[in-house]
Amino acid sequence: MAEPRAKNFIYEQIDADLAAGRHSTVVTRFPPEPNGYLHIGHAKSICLNHGIAAAYNGRFHLRFDDTNPSKEETRYVESIKEDLRWLGADWGDNLFFASDYFEQLHDWAVHLIREGRAFVCDLSGDEIRAHRGTLTTPGRESPFRGRSVEENLDLFARMRAGEFGDGEKVLRARIDMAHPNLNMRDPVLYRILHAKHHRTGDGWCIYPMYDFAHGQSDAIEGITHSICTLEFEDHRPLYNWFIDNLPVPHRPRQIEFARLNLTHTVMSKRRLLQLVNEGHVDGWDDPRMPTVSGLRRRGYTPEAIREFCDRVGVAKRNNTISLSLLEFCLRQDLEGRAPRRMAVLDPLKVVITNFPEATETYAGPNHPAEPAMGEREVPLTREIYIEREDFMEDPPKKYFRLAPGREVRLRYACYITCTDVVKDAEGRAVELRATFDPESRGGSTPDNRKVKGTIHWVSATENVPLEVRLYEPLFSAENPDDVPEGGSFLDNLNPESRRTVAAYGEPALRGTRPGEPVQFERKGYFVLDADCAEDRPVFHRSVTLRDSWAKQAKAGD
RNA sequence: AGGCCCAUGGUGUAAUGGUAGCACUUCGGAUUUUGGUUCCGUCAGUCUAGGUUCGAAUCCUAGUGGGCCUGCCA
């Protein structure tokens, strides 16, 4: 038996089932409804299910839970498959649809009717609700509960034949209207829906409810462990009731775990949809969205997401994971593989007054610790841009970047000393004058003098203009729901969540391909947008580098 | 209010009746041609009260706190 990397309570239960001989193999599944896009919470479930199947050398199924034609569309099926493939969750030949089982499910409904365990009910939706009772009071039995098997069979057949309109009748299980678990109070099994289904078309006008479809679909596929989130805990007795009362070929077991929550974001489909519909973001794949497509566009890698899903753990306690863990996983993954480049995001011109007119070329390793990644050429000219924040006219003690009279190293190139500050009418520095030490070419000097600061730079004449998008969390509050009485999570939307700047990059950036991570030295990891025009590259910042100076400076004020 | 579930540092997660560990975060230090990386260190935890036991984070009871459930959604 495989030794799982992260042992959690689900593995223990599976071990126990295997040890008791209840199963000889392990089969899991990911069962999305094709009515929306996948988010990082789904990724956790995918990694869990796929990881378990892999750990036990079992099978992993992708099954679309498409029992509600009024909400589901083929385009969602495609995007979900794309997201799974990208995440690396391979379902092999095991692609299924609950709608493939409609005929079998229907036969099982007939079976229940024959056994006297299901009946056709004419009550309206409102009446069923009124009969259901409340959390503290028992429900009342439907007046149609006592119909004969023959009448139920006839009525159900006519429901299927399309003789009734939407909502006129439903098929319900006959269980217990006084059950403390409301799911057991004669739950609806089938409803009438004259809607075109994305796969079965007009083949059906009655559709099974989730409860009647899910467990039986698991049983049909031989799923051994049906892993779902906590809110289905109350459905487990019903799940088991169907398995107990139907001649199903296998006996799956439902196990619940706590869904993933992340700070500074929302995770429910409803709210994500609201963000898109109300234009708070550009779309489902907006790089600020916690969707799989948004994270992908932001520059997250499947490896980083899988590592994250591994690290968050699996338990039954409600949890909220810190966004910093997600960012940590990305940095960790990109650190070793992203080629280094230089780009200036907030340019300040520097004229190196004693620099020759001709361009000089310096070699910069693509990675400081991986010589195998090679190097690229970086042109240095008399006029360059540096980051505005890398100069201070009146620096605090521990600032070791450029200041009047101070010397810094231009990364990979040489030392410069600031000699003059050119200011505009408001006294703001608009240009610096500097001199360079010809002895320092290559980044060090024969006298071995120490230069504390190394800053990045880009030639003012040999560069690539870039559009760069800088991101902050979509919500400024850790918990977007943390609002005063009567407020909305939208009140916590971060107005600074996206900032677009015009930047300059070194020429080697021209060779970057969409989706390929790069590190802009000292500024973070970036990714070239897949849809931008070739002559106007757009880079998204995936994540910043850790910045202990920023922290120190902030603590200083 | 009825049923079900949950409770370990700031966050997340281990310890399965026998020394409370790991990771993220925080804060420090070393190294560094990225204030990055790497390395080392630091702060900090078993919800409360009873009980069982030689011994309880772990088992039992009660309390407290939190989550879910009254769709012909999934």
Side-chain angles (χ1 to χ4, degrees):
Chain A
M1 180 184 311
E3 191 57 39
R5 173 165 166 196
K7 201 86 159 141
N8 58 53
F9 77 100
I10 296 179
Y11 281 86
E12 289 176 19
Q13 297 191 12
I14 293 174
D15 286 344
D17 285 343
L18 258 20
R22 280 187 283 271
H23 305 290
S24 54
T25 176
V26 174
V27 186
T28 60
R29 105 266 92 116
F30 176 65
E33 183 187 14
N35 72 342
Y37 293 85
L38 262 28
H39 54 62
I40 182 82
H42 294 114
K44 173 180 177 181
S45 173
I46 292 164
C47 291
L48 214 211
N49 279 292
H50 183 261
I52 285 173
Y56 289 94
N57 220 330
R59 277 189 345 253
F60 168 73
H61 293 191
L62 170 58
R63 180 176 72 239
F64 286 92
D65 225 332
D66 54 351
T67 57
N68 185 355
S70 62
K71 295 188 174 176
E72 296 149 6
E73 297 175 32
T74 300
R75 65 181 174 113
Y76 292 122
V77 171
E78 293 313 314
S79 84
I80 289 169
K81 282 159 75 177
E82 182 188 356
D83 286 350
L84 257 85
R85 256 185 243 115
W86 181 74
L87 281 169
D90 181 15
W91 60 86
D93 297 328
N94 301 301
L95 173 63
F96 302 102
F97 293 82
S99 52
D100 289 343
Y101 311 138
F102 280 174
E103 198 64 51
Q104 173 69 79
L105 258 11
H106 168 271
D107 290 350
W108 278 333
V110 169
H111 176 90
L112 286 182
I113 293 173
R114 289 216 168 90
E115 300 283 311
R117 297 191 195 279
F119 66 99
V120 173
C121 182
D122 298 0
L123 255 24
S124 70
D126 285 341
E127 289 167 326
I128 287 180
R129 195 170 309 123
H131 278 72
R132 186 155 31 226
T134 68
L135 296 176
T136 50
T137 60
R140 298 182 340 261
E141 296 187 347
S142 162
F144 303 99
R145 201 174 199 260
R147 289 217 255 232
S148 69
V149 168
E150 291 66 32
E151 188 181 4
N152 281 321
L153 251 16
D154 174 60
L155 255 13
F156 188 52
R158 288 163 60 193
M159 280 170 66
R160 177 181 185 176
E163 287 189 29
F164 309 110
D166 289 2
E168 274 184 45
K169 285 180 167 42
V170 292
L171 181 73
R172 301 174 68 181
R174 177 158 28 207
I175 307 180
D176 179 2
M177 287 308 290
H179 200 108
N181 182 336
L182 302 242
N183 292 125
M184 300 298 273
R185 318 242 261 229
D186 291 4
V188 172
L189 271 30
Y190 270 90
R191 77 285 216 186
I192 299 171
L193 235 40
H194 290 273
K196 196 181 188 76
H197 187 278
H198 73 111
R199 299 192 84 237
T200 61
D202 294 320
W204 294 84
C205 63
I206 55 171
Y207 292 93
M209 298 289 290
Y210 164 85
D211 286 306
F212 192 67
H214 202 94
Q216 287 88 295
S217 299
D218 286 339
I220 290 169
E221 294 177 19
I223 300 297
T224 55
H225 300 271
S226 182
I227 301 167
C228 63
T229 44
L230 251 28
E231 68 269 26
F232 291 99
E233 221 155 13
D234 286 339
H235 293 247
R236 181 157 26 99
L238 183 54
Y239 183 106
N240 290 335
W241 189 88
F242 290 127
I243 297 298
D244 289 340
N245 288 284
L246 258 13
V248 295
H250 294 279
R251 194 180 172 85
R253 204 234 281 212
Q254 174 178 308
I255 301 174
E256 312 85 13
F257 72 99
R259 61 165 3 119
L260 170 74
N261 293 291
L262 253 192
T263 61
H264 303 282
T265 192
V266 292
M267 209 68 95
S268 79
K269 256 183 206 173
R270 199 199 104 242
R271 286 171 163 185
L272 260 14
L273 181 66
Q274 188 180 353
L275 291 173
V276 172
N277 286 346
E278 296 180 3
H280 300 110
V281 294
D282 291 344
W284 286 96
D285 66 344
D286 186 299
R288 292 166 293 182
M289 291 282 273
T291 49
V292 172
S293 52
L295 291 164
R296 178 165 58 226
R297 187 143 179 240
R298 175 76 171 260
Y300 271 81
T301 59
E303 289 83 358
I305 293 176
R306 275 191 249 124
E307 175 69 13
F308 173 75
C309 291
D310 240 12
R311 282 173 177 258
V312 293
V314 177
K316 298 192 72 164
R317 167 176 20 167
N318 295 300
N319 63 81
T320 304
I321 309 291
S322 168
L323 189 58
S324 63
L325 181 64
L326 219 210
E327 296 184 334
F328 167 84
C329 293
L330 214 219
R331 286 193 193 104
Q332 181 184 253
D333 182 41
L334 262 24
E335 155 61 24
R337 58 197 265 195
R340 271 49 173 179
R341 295 290 183 263
M342 292 195 289
V344 173
L345 275 29
D346 183 13
L348 174 62
K349 185 177 278 188
V350 179
V351 179
I352 307 170
T353 53
N354 63 337
F355 199 80
E357 285 302 326
T359 299
E360 291 190 3
T361 302
Y362 292 89
N366 287 328
H367 192 288
E370 298 289 344
M373 285 176 68
E375 53 183 41
R376 85 286 188 184
E377 295 187 331
V378 193
L380 175 62
T381 51
R382 193 163 178 276
E383 297 194 355
I384 60 171
Y385 292 118
I386 66 165
E387 211 68 64
R388 181 166 286 278
E389 65 173 14
D390 285 339
F391 169 78
M392 275 186 105
E393 194 165 5
D394 185 21
K397 329 141 256 318
K398 281 161 103 184
Y399 184 86
F400 31 83
R401 277 112 99 148
L402 204 57
R406 290 238 213 144
E407 184 173 54
V408 297
R409 173 164 38 231
L410 295 182
R411 180 97 163 132
Y412 307 128
C414 62
Y415 297 173
I416 59 169
T417 302
C418 176
T419 53
D420 286 293
V421 185
V422 182
K423 298 181 196 173
D424 62 11
E426 280 86 57
R428 184 169 179 260
V430 291
E431 188 179 301
L432 304 180
R433 297 286 156 81
T435 55
F436 90 111
D437 177 356
E439 299 257 77
S440 70
R441 279 194 258 246
S444 60
T445 52
D447 65 3
N448 260 326
R449 69 174 181 276
K450 278 277 182 193
V451 173
K452 194 77 167 131
T454 299
I455 65 175
H456 62 278
W457 52 276
V458 168
S459 161
T461 46
E462 300 184 35
N463 61 49
V464 199
L466 313 171
E467 176 176 328
V468 171
R469 301 192 186 151
L470 306 172
Y471 300 104
E472 281 181 24
L474 231 200
F475 293 89
S476 32
E478 269 199 16
N479 174 9
D481 276 327
D482 191 6
V483 285
E485 187 65 32
S488 148
F489 75 107
L490 296 171
D491 300 344
N492 278 317
L493 237 17
N494 178 5
E496 319 263 293
S497 61
R498 179 175 65 197
R499 228 175 76 229
T500 300
V501 301
Y504 295 105
E506 62 166 283
L509 243 12
R510 258 188 270 268
T512 307
R513 283 183 301 225
E516 247 178 19
V518 293
Q519 183 193 104
F520 289 175
E521 298 212 48
R522 306 208 303 140
K523 296 273 83 173
Y525 295 99
F526 292 74
V527 67
L528 179 60
D529 190 83
D531 295 329
C532 62
E534 194 142 324
D535 55 338
R536 186 61 179 169
V538 173
F539 279 88
H540 303 282
R541 175 151 67 187
S542 312
V543 66
T544 61
L545 258 24
R546 283 183 57 203
D547 188 347
S548 54
W549 165 249
K551 238 178 267 175
Q552 188 181 324
K554 198 175 172 188
D557 351 294

